[in-house]
Amino acid sequence: METKESKFFTSVSLIIVAALTLLAFIALFIYSNFEERESKEIQNTYHAEIKKIENYLNEGNCTKAFLEYEQAKVIRHTIDKRGLYYSFNAHPAAAHSLEIAECFAKMKEFEKAVSILDREGGRGPDYFLRASAVYKSAGELKKAQETQSKAENF
């Protein structure tokens, strides 16, 4: 038979365990809300960078668009590292890497255009056809042919 002291210690122990469990749930709730808010802020910042890129491309300012692209790439890496977003492979298309390369090609800055295409790559026949045109403009006929054949293989 249990004594009054052992019943008291048992009930106090249960109260302490319940209180600690409640505190743990509250801490997890606060942490998850903080993480969710921070994730939304990072994603909103990324989307704002993409809008800036689009604006600079509309203005024909290739250099500023490229600088914003690099900034967006850093933010996107943070998003990807946290596992908050879709594949990092989608970034070049979302951030208009091909459009930036085409912008540089129009300005006759072929070296920059080709370096962007070589570094970022892409998917789909439209990308490959447009990239092939940039390579041809830059005089990179071998790369132009390779990307042309990739487009035809789609």
Side-chain angles (χ1 to χ4, degrees), residues 66-151:
F66 179 71
L67 293 174
E68 291 298 329
Y69 175 82
E70 291 298 317
Q71 185 84 11
K73 196 172 180 179
V74 170
I75 295 169
R76 181 58 183 263
H77 185 68
T78 302
I79 290 170
D80 190 58
K81 197 165 59 174
R82 294 177 65 142
L84 300 172
Y85 217 71
Y86 49 90
S87 169
F88 192 72
N89 294 332
H91 172 73
H96 307 289
S97 65
L98 179 60
E99 288 83 358
I100 295 170
E102 289 174 330
C103 181
F104 278 123
K106 286 178 191 170
M107 302 294 183
K108 307 289 186 216
E109 296 182 41
F110 296 115
E111 189 174 304
K112 291 178 182 177
V114 168
S115 72
I116 290 170
L117 292 175
D118 288 345
R119 196 174 52 169
E120 299 303 334
R123 300 183 192 334
D126 179 58
Y127 173 87
F128 291 127
L129 287 173
R130 291 168 65 191
S132 176
V134 172
Y135 283 131
K136 282 180 190 172
S137 298
E140 298 277 344
L141 300 179
K142 184 178 179 186
K143 289 180 182 179
Q145 183 59 42
E146 289 172 2
T147 55
Q148 180 77 30
S149 64
K150 286 180 183 178

Side-chain angles (χ1 to χ4, degrees), residues 40-58:
K40 284 181 182 178
E41 286 177 15
I42 291 171
Q43 288 178 358
N44 289 338
T45 303
Y46 176 73
H47 291 294
E49 290 291 327
I50 299 303
K51 289 293 179 196
K52 286 181 188 176
I53 291 168
E54 291 169 357
N55 289 338
Y56 286 133
L57 285 172
N58 288 336

